[in-house]
Amino acid sequence: MTTTLRTRVAIVGAGPAGLLLSHLLDEAGIDSIVVDLRTRGEIESTIRAGILEQGTVELLDRLGKHSRARTVGHRHDGIELRFQGEGHRIDFPSLTGRSAWLYPQHEVLKDLIAARVAAEQDLRFGITVTAIDDTDPLRPLVIATDADGDELVIEADVVVGADGSRSVVRPTVTGSSQGGYFREYPFAWFGILCEAPPSSEELIYSNSPDGFALISQRSATVQRMYFQCDPELDPDSLSEEQIWVEMQKRVPGTTLLEGPIFQRDVLRFRSFVAHAMRKGRVAIIGDAAHTVPPTGAKGMNLAVADVALLHEALRALLLEGDERLIDSFEERALQRIWKAQHFSWWMTTMLHVTDDASDFDRRRQLGELRSVVESTAGQTYLAEAYTGWPLPSAE
Ligand code: PHB
C-alpha cells in the first residue's frame, strides 16, 4: 500500500535543524512534514554536546514557553583555558557583550518536539527514507517506508535534508554519498556522564603533556567530562578508576570531584563540508552538510545558523516566488561554515597533543596558547567565535 502526501516543504530529520526549520516555516504560514528514522524516545535521549551560542538561544526564544534554554539552561560568561597547570579565564561579556548557554542538545530537542506537537505539526517517527526523486525539478519526492513497512511518498515544493552526518538526502545534492572536503584527526574524546557535584562552575579546556581534557557540566548532580584518547579505544576497556586517573592527569591544578560513571562513549573527530548544499529544490543543512570536531562547540549552532538563512530563503521563494535568496543560500551559508571549521580546527589543534609532536611543536603550542590569553585581541577572537558571530540576516 502506498500513501501519498503533499506539502510545501518535506524535511528529512527531526533533529535541531529540521524541527527548528519547521517551526520558523510555520510562523510564516508555510506547511511542512518532518520525518525521522528514529523514535521520539531515541531522539530525546541521544547525548550530544551542550553549548548554545547567544544567537541560538535568541532563535529558540521564538518557541515561546516551550524553550527552557534560559530557565533550565545556564548562562556561561566565560571559559577557562588551562595550560602548564595554570588557568586563564576568557570573559565573554567584557570582550563581546555576549554569552553562551549550557543547555544540552537533547533538552533542546524535547523543547522543539513539544512545540511542534503543540502546533499540530505533521511529525512522523520511524520513517525510513529510501530515495529522493528529483526527476521533476519543481516537484521533488521523498520516497520512504513507514514503521509498518508500507510505502510513503511525500510530494513537495522543496525537500530539505536535515538528516545528520549519514544523510540519505546528501547524494542527491552532491552526486555521491561522500562528496565533500574531509579531514580526520588522530585522536578522539572519551566522554563520561557521572553523578557528582560540579568540579568547576565554568568549562575548563585543559592542555597538558598527557593530552587534552574538557570539564563540562550538566546539572548540580550530573557532570559531563572528556579526555583525549585513541580513536580505536574501546569505551568498556577502562575501569572507572582508570578513567578518573586519566581524566585527573589532564587537569593539573584542579581536584576533580568523582562519582559513579553512568555513561561513557568515544567520539571520533572529523571535519567535513559537502561539495554542495543545494541542487535545485533539494537542500541539505546541519550535519548532513558539514561536521566539526566538538572542541569549539559549534555543531548544533552551525545547524541553527543554516536554518536562520534557509527559512528566509524559503519564505521568499514560496510566498513571493523570489529565487534570489535561495540562489545565494549556499554561498552565504558556507562563509559561516568555513569560519566555524577554522575555529573548531584551531581550538582542536591548539589544545590536543599528538604522539608525533616534537619538542619544537610542543613549545610552539604553548606559545600559541600564551598569545591568546595574554592578548585582548586573541581573547576577543576566541570569545566572538565561541559566543557566535551575528546570525545572518536576509539583506
Ligand atoms: C559538552 O558539554 O558536551 C561540551 C561542551 C563544550 C564543548 C564540547 C562539548 O566544546
Side-chain angles (χ1 to χ4, degrees), residues 328-392:
S328 62
F329 161 69
E330 175 177 313
E331 193 190 324
R332 288 179 297 139
L334 282 172
Q335 289 176 3
R336 187 189 189 91
I337 291 162
W338 280 111
K339 278 165 71 173
Q341 286 292 353
H342 172 69
F343 177 66
S344 307
W345 169 90
W346 176 68
M347 286 284 279
T348 301
T349 54
M350 180 168 66
L351 288 160
H352 289 72
V353 174
T354 52
D355 290 341
D356 61 357
S358 64
D359 281 350
F360 175 89
D361 297 336
R362 176 83 195 121
R363 281 156 210 260
R364 185 211 58 77
Q365 188 182 50
L366 293 171
E368 184 178 9
L369 282 159
R370 202 161 285 288
S371 312
V372 175
V373 301
E374 292 182 358
S375 143
T376 307
Q379 290 185 31
T380 306
Y381 167 68
L382 196 156
E384 277 175 353
Y386 200 94
T387 57
W389 306 286
L391 275 175

Side-chain angles (χ1 to χ4, degrees), residues 175-231:
S176 76
S177 65
Q178 294 306 324
Y181 306 96
F182 185 70
R183 185 183 216 284
E184 199 146 15
Y185 297 78
F187 38 75
W189 279 1
F190 195 105
I192 60 162
L193 279 170
C194 67
E195 280 167 42
S199 292
S200 159
E201 273 183 23
E202 292 182 338
L203 273 66
I204 303 176
Y205 287 80
S206 180
N207 166 281
S208 80
D210 293 299
F212 170 77
L214 170 60
I215 308 307
S216 182
Q217 303 89 27
R218 283 296 177 266
S219 67
T221 53
V222 172
Q223 310 311 319
R224 181 77 162 145
M225 303 181 195
Y226 306 88
F227 65 83
Q228 177 183 345
C229 71
D230 188 306

Side-chain angles (χ1 to χ4, degrees), residues 48-69:
R48 300 289 288 271
I51 291 288
L52 305 184
E53 294 173 2
Q54 176 150 331
T56 299
V57 173
E58 286 164 3
L59 255 189
L60 290 173
D61 286 343
R62 286 166 70 164
L63 300 176
K65 67 176 193 314
H66 293 288
S67 179
R68 297 169 301 142

Side-chain angles (χ1 to χ4, degrees), residues 40-48 106 109-110 263:
R40 179 173 177 175
E42 279 165 357
I43 294 173
E44 290 183 342
S45 61
T46 307
I47 304 294
R48 300 289 288 271
H106 65 274
L109 284 164
K110 284 185 200 164
Q263 212 216 268

Side-chain angles (χ1 to χ4, degrees), residues 73-316:
H74 294 275
R75 197 183 81 215
H76 279 226
D77 286 340
I79 56 166
E80 184 184 299
L81 287 188
R82 180 168 303 195
F83 55 96
Q84 295 186 302
E86 258 179 50
H88 304 264
R89 184 165 184 270
I90 312 283
D91 184 83
F92 300 148
S94 66
L95 294 160
T96 65
R98 298 164 81 81
S99 296
W101 268 259
L102 184 87
Y103 188 55
Q105 180 165 330
H106 65 274
E107 298 295 344
V108 174
L109 284 164
K110 284 185 200 164
D111 294 354
L112 282 163
I113 292 175
R116 296 321 300 137
V117 168
E120 297 180 5
Q121 167 74 37
D122 189 340
L123 172 55
R124 297 169 188 235
F125 301 102
I127 307 286
T128 308
V129 173
T130 49
I132 306 300
D133 180 342
D134 63 346
T135 321
D136 178 349
L138 293 181
R139 191 140 305 213
L141 306 175
V142 176
I143 318 286
T145 313
D146 70 15
D148 299 325
D150 290 327
E151 191 178 53
L152 177 70
V153 175
I154 310 173
E155 265 182 35
D157 294 326
V158 176
V159 171
V160 177
D163 53 340
S165 55
R166 295 198 196 91
S167 173
V168 294
V169 182
R170 189 194 300 138
T172 305
V173 174
T174 63
S176 76
S177 65
Q178 294 306 324
Y181 306 96
F182 185 70
R183 185 183 216 284
E184 199 146 15
Y185 297 78
F187 38 75
W189 279 1
F190 195 105
I192 60 162
L193 279 170
C194 67
E195 280 167 42
S199 292
S200 159
E201 273 183 23
E202 292 182 338
L203 273 66
I204 303 176
Y205 287 80
S206 180
N207 166 281
S208 80
D210 293 299
F212 170 77
L214 170 60
I215 308 307
S216 182
Q217 303 89 27
R218 283 296 177 266
S219 67
T221 53
V222 172
Q223 310 311 319
R224 181 77 162 145
M225 303 181 195
Y226 306 88
F227 65 83
Q228 177 183 345
C229 71
D230 188 306
E232 302 303 329
L233 183 66
D234 171 1
D236 294 320
S237 65
L238 298 185
S239 67
E240 290 205 16
E241 204 184 325
Q242 286 171 316
I243 293 174
W244 286 116
V245 168
E246 291 303 318
M247 196 74 80
Q248 183 66 70
K249 259 202 309 207
R250 291 164 169 80
V251 204
T254 291
T255 305
L256 297 175
L257 302 175
E258 301 178 8
I261 295 171
F262 61 90
Q263 212 216 268
R264 45 171 83 194
D265 43 15
V266 170
L267 278 81
R268 282 168 175 264
F269 272 44
R270 291 199 176 96
S271 300
F272 171 78
V273 180
H275 283 147
M277 292 179 73
R278 180 179 78 103
K279 182 179 166 227
R281 297 266 185 127
V282 183
I284 48 174
I285 56 174
D287 281 3
H290 41 74
T291 46
V292 286
T295 323
K298 288 291 111 185
M300 176 173 34
N301 295 294
L302 211 45
V304 166
D306 289 347
V307 172
L309 271 183
L310 186 62
H311 93 92
E312 287 183 331
L314 292 180
R315 278 183 191 212

